[in-house]
Amino acid sequence: MAARRPRSASEHDCDDDSYEVLDLTEYARRHHWWNRVFGRNSGPIVEKYSVATQIVMGGVTGWCAGFLFQKVGKLAATAVGGGFLLLQIASHSGYVQVDWKRVEKDVNKAKRQIKKRANRAAPEISTLIEESTEFIKQNIVVSSGFVGGFLLGLAS
């Protein structure tokens, strides 16, 4: 959490913004309402449980996520595959005439647009990856349980 530092008269001329870092734990110690709302130990809730409980919590949530991912993935693959199959049957039966040159042109146009958008979205993606990596490092026990449960959920 950062707050803008008050400026003196000589600093008003400079366009350089200065920030000071506020320590949230010091802030909580000085402001008693924070402790009343969030409690004395307002850190990650997971740390308050034993290692076995953390692994079980991660494993159960991972299994649920993996199981749902498997079911939704199968449904999506079936729908897309069935659509292509019906399109091929209709094409070979003469019901549908496909202009392959136009399809190729449209696909190439879509590729160019995706590349442009991917270049613009790169900073957000790298920030998300950094935040996810930091979360996994801080919660390694729960994360490892989640990964194990996710793989079991995919296999079931």
Short mmCIF file of all heavy atoms in Angstrom, two decimals, residues 22-61:
data_model
loop_
_atom_site.label_atom_id
_atom_site.label_comp_id
_atom_site.label_asym_id
_atom_site.label_seq_id
_atom_site.Cartn_x
_atom_site.Cartn_y
_atom_site.Cartn_z
N LEU A 22 3.94 1.91 2.95
CA LEU A 22 3.34 1.74 4.27
C LEU A 22 3.31 0.26 4.61
O LEU A 22 2.87 -0.55 3.82
CB LEU A 22 1.92 2.29 4.29
CG LEU A 22 1.77 3.79 4.08
CD1 LEU A 22 0.30 4.16 4.08
CD2 LEU A 22 2.49 4.55 5.16
N ASP A 23 3.78 -0.07 5.80
CA ASP A 23 3.75 -1.45 6.25
C ASP A 23 2.38 -1.73 6.85
O ASP A 23 1.95 -1.07 7.79
CB ASP A 23 4.85 -1.67 7.29
CG ASP A 23 4.96 -3.13 7.70
OD1 ASP A 23 4.34 -3.98 7.03
OD2 ASP A 23 5.68 -3.41 8.67
N LEU A 24 1.68 -2.70 6.30
CA LEU A 24 0.32 -3.00 6.72
C LEU A 24 0.27 -3.52 8.15
O LEU A 24 -0.68 -3.24 8.88
CB LEU A 24 -0.31 -4.02 5.76
CG LEU A 24 -1.80 -4.24 5.88
CD1 LEU A 24 -2.55 -2.94 5.70
CD2 LEU A 24 -2.27 -5.24 4.86
N THR A 25 1.30 -4.25 8.57
CA THR A 25 1.29 -4.75 9.95
C THR A 25 1.42 -3.60 10.95
O THR A 25 0.75 -3.60 11.99
CB THR A 25 2.43 -5.76 10.17
OG1 THR A 25 3.67 -5.16 9.82
CG2 THR A 25 2.20 -7.01 9.36
N GLU A 26 2.26 -2.61 10.64
CA GLU A 26 2.38 -1.43 11.51
C GLU A 26 1.07 -0.65 11.52
O GLU A 26 0.63 -0.16 12.55
CB GLU A 26 3.53 -0.53 11.04
CG GLU A 26 4.89 -1.05 11.40
CD GLU A 26 5.06 -1.12 12.91
OE1 GLU A 26 4.65 -0.19 13.63
OE2 GLU A 26 5.61 -2.15 13.38
N TYR A 27 0.44 -0.54 10.38
CA TYR A 27 -0.84 0.16 10.28
C TYR A 27 -1.88 -0.52 11.15
O TYR A 27 -2.64 0.13 11.86
CB TYR A 27 -1.29 0.18 8.81
CG TYR A 27 -2.59 0.91 8.59
CD1 TYR A 27 -2.62 2.30 8.51
CD2 TYR A 27 -3.78 0.22 8.47
CE1 TYR A 27 -3.81 2.98 8.30
CE2 TYR A 27 -4.97 0.88 8.27
CZ TYR A 27 -4.99 2.27 8.18
OH TYR A 27 -6.16 2.93 7.99
N ALA A 28 -1.91 -1.85 11.13
CA ALA A 28 -2.88 -2.60 11.92
C ALA A 28 -2.61 -2.43 13.42
O ALA A 28 -3.55 -2.37 14.22
CB ALA A 28 -2.83 -4.08 11.56
N ARG A 29 -1.35 -2.35 13.80
CA ARG A 29 -1.04 -2.16 15.22
C ARG A 29 -1.47 -0.79 15.71
O ARG A 29 -1.91 -0.64 16.84
CB ARG A 29 0.47 -2.33 15.44
CG ARG A 29 0.91 -3.76 15.38
CD ARG A 29 2.37 -3.91 15.79
NE ARG A 29 2.81 -5.25 15.45
CZ ARG A 29 3.81 -5.52 14.61
NH1 ARG A 29 4.50 -4.54 14.08
NH2 ARG A 29 4.13 -6.77 14.34
N ARG A 30 -1.34 0.23 14.86
CA ARG A 30 -1.71 1.59 15.25
C ARG A 30 -3.21 1.84 15.21
O ARG A 30 -3.71 2.68 15.91
CB ARG A 30 -0.99 2.60 14.36
CG ARG A 30 0.48 2.76 14.75
CD ARG A 30 1.15 3.83 13.94
NE ARG A 30 1.63 3.21 12.70
CZ ARG A 30 1.45 3.72 11.49
NH1 ARG A 30 0.84 4.84 11.31
NH2 ARG A 30 1.91 3.09 10.43
N HIS A 31 -3.95 1.13 14.38
CA HIS A 31 -5.38 1.34 14.22
C HIS A 31 -6.12 0.13 14.77
O HIS A 31 -6.15 -0.92 14.14
CB HIS A 31 -5.73 1.57 12.75
CG HIS A 31 -5.12 2.82 12.21
ND1 HIS A 31 -3.83 2.86 11.74
CD2 HIS A 31 -5.62 4.07 12.10
CE1 HIS A 31 -3.56 4.09 11.34
NE2 HIS A 31 -4.62 4.85 11.55
N HIS A 32 -6.72 0.28 15.93
CA HIS A 32 -7.35 -0.85 16.61
C HIS A 32 -8.60 -1.35 15.90
O HIS A 32 -8.98 -2.50 16.06
CB HIS A 32 -7.66 -0.46 18.05
CG HIS A 32 -6.43 -0.15 18.84
ND1 HIS A 32 -5.52 -1.10 19.20
CD2 HIS A 32 -5.94 1.03 19.30
CE1 HIS A 32 -4.52 -0.56 19.85
NE2 HIS A 32 -4.75 0.75 19.94
N TRP A 33 -9.24 -0.51 15.09
CA TRP A 33 -10.43 -0.98 14.37
C TRP A 33 -10.07 -2.09 13.41
O TRP A 33 -10.86 -2.99 13.15
CB TRP A 33 -11.12 0.17 13.63
CG TRP A 33 -10.28 0.76 12.52
CD1 TRP A 33 -9.42 1.80 12.62
CD2 TRP A 33 -10.22 0.30 11.18
NE1 TRP A 33 -8.81 2.03 11.42
CE2 TRP A 33 -9.28 1.13 10.50
CE3 TRP A 33 -10.83 -0.71 10.46
CZ2 TRP A 33 -8.97 0.97 9.17
CZ3 TRP A 33 -10.52 -0.85 9.12
CH2 TRP A 33 -9.60 -0.02 8.50
N TRP A 34 -8.84 -2.05 12.87
CA TRP A 34 -8.40 -3.09 11.94
C TRP A 34 -8.39 -4.45 12.64
O TRP A 34 -8.84 -5.45 12.12
CB TRP A 34 -7.00 -2.74 11.43
CG TRP A 34 -6.45 -3.69 10.43
CD1 TRP A 34 -5.73 -4.82 10.66
CD2 TRP A 34 -6.59 -3.61 9.02
NE1 TRP A 34 -5.40 -5.44 9.51
CE2 TRP A 34 -5.92 -4.72 8.47
CE3 TRP A 34 -7.20 -2.71 8.15
CZ2 TRP A 34 -5.85 -4.95 7.10
CZ3 TRP A 34 -7.12 -2.95 6.80
CH2 TRP A 34 -6.46 -4.06 6.29
N ASN A 35 -7.88 -4.46 13.88
CA ASN A 35 -7.84 -5.70 14.65
C ASN A 35 -9.23 -6.19 15.00
O ASN A 35 -9.48 -7.39 15.03
CB ASN A 35 -7.02 -5.51 15.93
CG ASN A 35 -5.54 -5.38 15.65
OD1 ASN A 35 -5.06 -5.88 14.65
ND2 ASN A 35 -4.83 -4.68 16.52
N ARG A 36 -10.14 -5.26 15.29
CA ARG A 36 -11.50 -5.67 15.62
C ARG A 36 -12.20 -6.28 14.42
O ARG A 36 -12.96 -7.23 14.54
CB ARG A 36 -12.32 -4.48 16.14
CG ARG A 36 -12.10 -4.25 17.61
CD ARG A 36 -13.00 -3.16 18.13
NE ARG A 36 -12.22 -1.93 18.11
CZ ARG A 36 -12.66 -0.75 17.71
NH1 ARG A 36 -13.90 -0.60 17.34
NH2 ARG A 36 -11.88 0.29 17.71
N VAL A 37 -11.94 -5.76 13.23
CA VAL A 37 -12.60 -6.27 12.02
C VAL A 37 -11.97 -7.57 11.55
O VAL A 37 -12.65 -8.55 11.27
CB VAL A 37 -12.56 -5.21 10.89
CG1 VAL A 37 -13.09 -5.79 9.59
CG2 VAL A 37 -13.36 -3.98 11.29
N PHE A 38 -10.64 -7.61 11.48
CA PHE A 38 -9.96 -8.75 10.85
C PHE A 38 -9.32 -9.71 11.85
O PHE A 38 -8.83 -10.76 11.48
CB PHE A 38 -8.90 -8.26 9.88
CG PHE A 38 -9.48 -7.53 8.71
CD1 PHE A 38 -9.38 -6.16 8.61
CD2 PHE A 38 -10.16 -8.21 7.72
CE1 PHE A 38 -9.92 -5.48 7.55
CE2 PHE A 38 -10.71 -7.54 6.65
CZ PHE A 38 -10.59 -6.17 6.56
N GLY A 39 -9.25 -9.35 13.12
CA GLY A 39 -8.63 -10.22 14.10
C GLY A 39 -7.14 -9.95 14.21
O GLY A 39 -6.54 -9.28 13.39
N ARG A 40 -6.54 -10.48 15.29
CA ARG A 40 -5.11 -10.24 15.52
C ARG A 40 -4.24 -10.85 14.42
O ARG A 40 -3.34 -10.23 13.91
CB ARG A 40 -4.70 -10.83 16.86
CG ARG A 40 -5.23 -10.05 18.01
CD ARG A 40 -4.07 -9.41 18.76
NE ARG A 40 -4.61 -8.57 19.81
CZ ARG A 40 -4.48 -7.27 19.81
NH1 ARG A 40 -3.85 -6.65 18.86
NH2 ARG A 40 -4.98 -6.56 20.79
N ASN A 41 -4.50 -12.09 14.09
CA ASN A 41 -3.72 -12.77 13.05
C ASN A 41 -4.53 -12.75 11.76
O ASN A 41 -5.25 -13.68 11.46
CB ASN A 41 -3.40 -14.21 13.46
CG ASN A 41 -2.56 -14.25 14.71
OD1 ASN A 41 -1.74 -13.39 14.93
ND2 ASN A 41 -2.79 -15.26 15.53
N SER A 42 -4.42 -11.68 11.02
CA SER A 42 -5.21 -11.57 9.79
C SER A 42 -4.42 -11.99 8.57
O SER A 42 -4.60 -11.48 7.49
CB SER A 42 -5.71 -10.13 9.62
OG SER A 42 -4.62 -9.25 9.57
N GLY A 43 -3.51 -12.96 8.74
CA GLY A 43 -2.74 -13.49 7.63
C GLY A 43 -3.56 -14.52 6.87
O GLY A 43 -4.78 -14.63 7.05
N PRO A 44 -2.93 -15.28 5.99
CA PRO A 44 -3.65 -16.31 5.24
C PRO A 44 -4.31 -17.31 6.19
O PRO A 44 -3.69 -17.78 7.14
CB PRO A 44 -2.56 -16.98 4.40
CG PRO A 44 -1.47 -15.98 4.32
CD PRO A 44 -1.53 -15.19 5.58
N ILE A 45 -5.55 -17.63 5.93
CA ILE A 45 -6.31 -18.53 6.79
C ILE A 45 -5.72 -19.93 6.77
O ILE A 45 -5.72 -20.63 7.77
CB ILE A 45 -7.79 -18.56 6.34
CG1 ILE A 45 -8.40 -17.19 6.53
CG2 ILE A 45 -8.58 -19.60 7.09
CD1 ILE A 45 -9.79 -17.05 5.98
N VAL A 46 -5.18 -20.34 5.63
CA VAL A 46 -4.68 -21.69 5.48
C VAL A 46 -3.54 -21.98 6.44
O VAL A 46 -3.40 -23.08 6.94
CB VAL A 46 -4.24 -21.92 4.01
CG1 VAL A 46 -3.67 -23.30 3.83
CG2 VAL A 46 -5.41 -21.71 3.09
N GLU A 47 -2.71 -20.97 6.74
CA GLU A 47 -1.56 -21.18 7.62
C GLU A 47 -1.97 -21.59 9.02
O GLU A 47 -1.17 -22.11 9.77
CB GLU A 47 -0.72 -19.91 7.69
CG GLU A 47 0.02 -19.59 6.42
CD GLU A 47 0.82 -18.31 6.54
OE1 GLU A 47 0.74 -17.64 7.59
OE2 GLU A 47 1.51 -17.97 5.58
N LYS A 48 -3.21 -21.36 9.39
CA LYS A 48 -3.67 -21.67 10.74
C LYS A 48 -3.97 -23.15 10.92
O LYS A 48 -4.23 -23.59 12.02
CB LYS A 48 -4.90 -20.83 11.07
CG LYS A 48 -4.61 -19.34 11.05
CD LYS A 48 -5.84 -18.52 11.24
CE LYS A 48 -5.49 -17.05 11.09
NZ LYS A 48 -6.64 -16.19 11.06
N TYR A 49 -3.95 -23.94 9.85
CA TYR A 49 -4.26 -25.36 9.91
C TYR A 49 -2.98 -26.18 9.82
O TYR A 49 -1.96 -25.71 9.33
CB TYR A 49 -5.21 -25.75 8.78
CG TYR A 49 -6.56 -25.10 8.88
CD1 TYR A 49 -6.91 -24.05 8.05
CD2 TYR A 49 -7.49 -25.53 9.82
CE1 TYR A 49 -8.15 -23.45 8.15
CE2 TYR A 49 -8.72 -24.93 9.93
CZ TYR A 49 -9.06 -23.89 9.08
OH TYR A 49 -10.28 -23.30 9.19
N SER A 50 -3.07 -27.45 10.22
CA SER A 50 -1.90 -28.33 10.16
C SER A 50 -1.58 -28.67 8.70
O SER A 50 -2.39 -28.45 7.80
CB SER A 50 -2.19 -29.62 10.93
OG SER A 50 -3.17 -30.38 10.26
N VAL A 51 -0.40 -29.23 8.49
CA VAL A 51 0.04 -29.58 7.14
C VAL A 51 -0.90 -30.61 6.52
O VAL A 51 -1.28 -30.50 5.35
CB VAL A 51 1.49 -30.09 7.17
CG1 VAL A 51 1.91 -30.60 5.81
CG2 VAL A 51 2.43 -29.00 7.62
N ALA A 52 -1.32 -31.59 7.30
CA ALA A 52 -2.22 -32.62 6.77
C ALA A 52 -3.54 -32.01 6.33
O ALA A 52 -4.08 -32.36 5.27
CB ALA A 52 -2.45 -33.70 7.82
N THR A 53 -4.07 -31.10 7.12
CA THR A 53 -5.33 -30.44 6.76
C THR A 53 -5.17 -29.61 5.50
O THR A 53 -6.05 -29.59 4.63
CB THR A 53 -5.81 -29.55 7.93
OG1 THR A 53 -5.89 -30.34 9.11
CG2 THR A 53 -7.16 -28.95 7.63
N GLN A 54 -4.04 -28.92 5.37
CA GLN A 54 -3.78 -28.13 4.18
C GLN A 54 -3.72 -29.01 2.94
O GLN A 54 -4.27 -28.67 1.89
CB GLN A 54 -2.48 -27.36 4.32
CG GLN A 54 -2.52 -26.25 5.35
CD GLN A 54 -1.20 -25.52 5.43
OE1 GLN A 54 -0.58 -25.24 4.41
NE2 GLN A 54 -0.78 -25.20 6.64
N ILE A 55 -3.05 -30.17 3.05
CA ILE A 55 -2.95 -31.08 1.90
C ILE A 55 -4.33 -31.61 1.54
O ILE A 55 -4.69 -31.70 0.35
CB ILE A 55 -1.96 -32.22 2.21
CG1 ILE A 55 -0.54 -31.68 2.25
CG2 ILE A 55 -2.07 -33.33 1.16
CD1 ILE A 55 0.50 -32.67 2.68
N VAL A 56 -5.13 -31.96 2.54
CA VAL A 56 -6.48 -32.48 2.26
C VAL A 56 -7.34 -31.40 1.62
O VAL A 56 -8.06 -31.67 0.64
CB VAL A 56 -7.13 -33.02 3.57
CG1 VAL A 56 -8.60 -33.30 3.36
CG2 VAL A 56 -6.41 -34.27 4.02
N MET A 57 -7.27 -30.17 2.14
CA MET A 57 -8.05 -29.07 1.54
C MET A 57 -7.65 -28.85 0.09
O MET A 57 -8.51 -28.71 -0.79
CB MET A 57 -7.84 -27.78 2.35
CG MET A 57 -8.57 -27.76 3.67
SD MET A 57 -8.16 -26.38 4.77
CE MET A 57 -8.00 -24.99 3.72
N GLY A 58 -6.37 -28.81 -0.17
CA GLY A 58 -5.89 -28.64 -1.54
C GLY A 58 -6.27 -29.81 -2.43
O GLY A 58 -6.66 -29.63 -3.58
N GLY A 59 -6.15 -31.04 -1.89
CA GLY A 59 -6.48 -32.23 -2.66
C GLY A 59 -7.95 -32.30 -3.04
O GLY A 59 -8.30 -32.63 -4.18
N VAL A 60 -8.82 -31.98 -2.10
CA VAL A 60 -10.27 -32.04 -2.38
C VAL A 60 -10.66 -30.98 -3.40
O VAL A 60 -11.39 -31.27 -4.37
CB VAL A 60 -11.08 -31.89 -1.07
CG1 VAL A 60 -12.55 -31.67 -1.36
CG2 VAL A 60 -10.89 -33.12 -0.20
N THR A 61 -10.19 -29.76 -3.23
CA THR A 61 -10.52 -28.72 -4.21
C THR A 61 -9.90 -29.04 -5.57
O THR A 61 -10.51 -28.79 -6.61
CB THR A 61 -10.07 -27.33 -3.73
OG1 THR A 61 -8.67 -27.36 -3.44
CG2 THR A 61 -10.85 -26.89 -2.52
#
